[in-house]
Amino acid sequence: MADSSVLRDRAVGRNRMVRANIEHPLFSLMRDLIDATYGPVPVIRELLSPIDGVEAAFIYGSWAARRAGAGGEFARDIDVLVIGTASRRALAEAASSASARIGVDVNVSRVTHDEWEATEPTPFLATVKGRPMVELLSGEAYG
C-alpha cells in the first residue's frame, strides 16, 4: 500500500511509521468503508437498536463535521442525539458501552419527537440541525 501511495511511511530508527495518505484519491472512500464497518456508526446503531423509545438517532458535532469533510483535529468525543422517549438510564448504559468499544467518549442527549419537530426549536436543536449530522439507522450524512 505504501508503494501505491495509499499509505505514507518513514523509518524512525528501527521503527516504521505508517499513516494514511489523505491526499490519495481513494482516501475518502476507504475512510467511509472503515467508518461503516468498524467506526462509531455501526457500534452505536447496534447498542441503540434494542432500546425501546428510540425513534431516530444522529451523530452531530465535530465527528459528524469531519465525516462531512470539514477540516480540524480528530474528534475527541462523539455526540449523539436520540429522538424519542427512551430511558435516560438505558441511553447512558449504551453510551458507556459504546465508549468502551470505540475508545472515545460517547455523549448522548435525548429530546422528544415534539421538541425535534417544533417550528421554533431550542437554540441547541437549531444549532444541531444547522450543522452536519450522520443518521445512525442508515449511516447517511447530512450537511
Side-chain angles (χ1 to χ4, degrees):
M1 293 182 91
D3 290 341
S4 64
S5 299
V6 172
L7 298 176
R8 293 199 171 160
D9 68 335
R10 65 186 172 101
V12 177
R14 294 177 26 178
N15 297 315
R16 182 176 181 192
M17 309 298 284
V18 180
R19 66 180 173 90
N21 177 3
I22 63 172
E23 296 166 0
H24 191 280
L26 297 177
F27 174 76
S28 63
L29 296 171
M30 291 184 296
R31 181 191 60 211
D32 290 347
L33 178 63
I34 291 167
D35 284 345
T37 55
Y38 297 103
V41 172
V43 170
I44 297 170
R45 177 189 303 132
E46 173 191 327
L47 292 168
L48 291 179
S49 64
I51 298 174
D52 289 334
V54 175
E55 294 177 29
F58 299 90
I59 295 178
Y60 66 96
S62 57
W63 190 92
R66 299 306 163 272
R67 173 84 180 263
E73 293 182 21
F74 180 77
R76 296 190 178 156
D77 65 353
I78 297 171
D79 299 308
V80 175
L81 179 67
V82 171
I83 293 104
T85 58
S87 152
R88 292 193 190 279
R89 174 177 280 195
L91 294 175
E93 289 171 1
S96 178
S97 295
S99 296
R101 286 178 57 183
I102 299 167
V104 176
D105 285 339
V106 174
N107 308 303
V108 177
S109 299
R110 184 196 72 186
V111 297
T112 66
H113 179 83
D114 290 342
E115 290 170 316
W116 179 251
E117 295 294 331
T119 55
E120 302 255 347
T122 65
F124 166 70
L125 287 178
T127 299
V128 169
K129 289 180 174 187
R131 295 192 177 148
M133 296 185 294
V134 176
E135 204 276 327
L136 282 165
L137 300 180
S138 70
E140 187 172 335
Y142 301 92

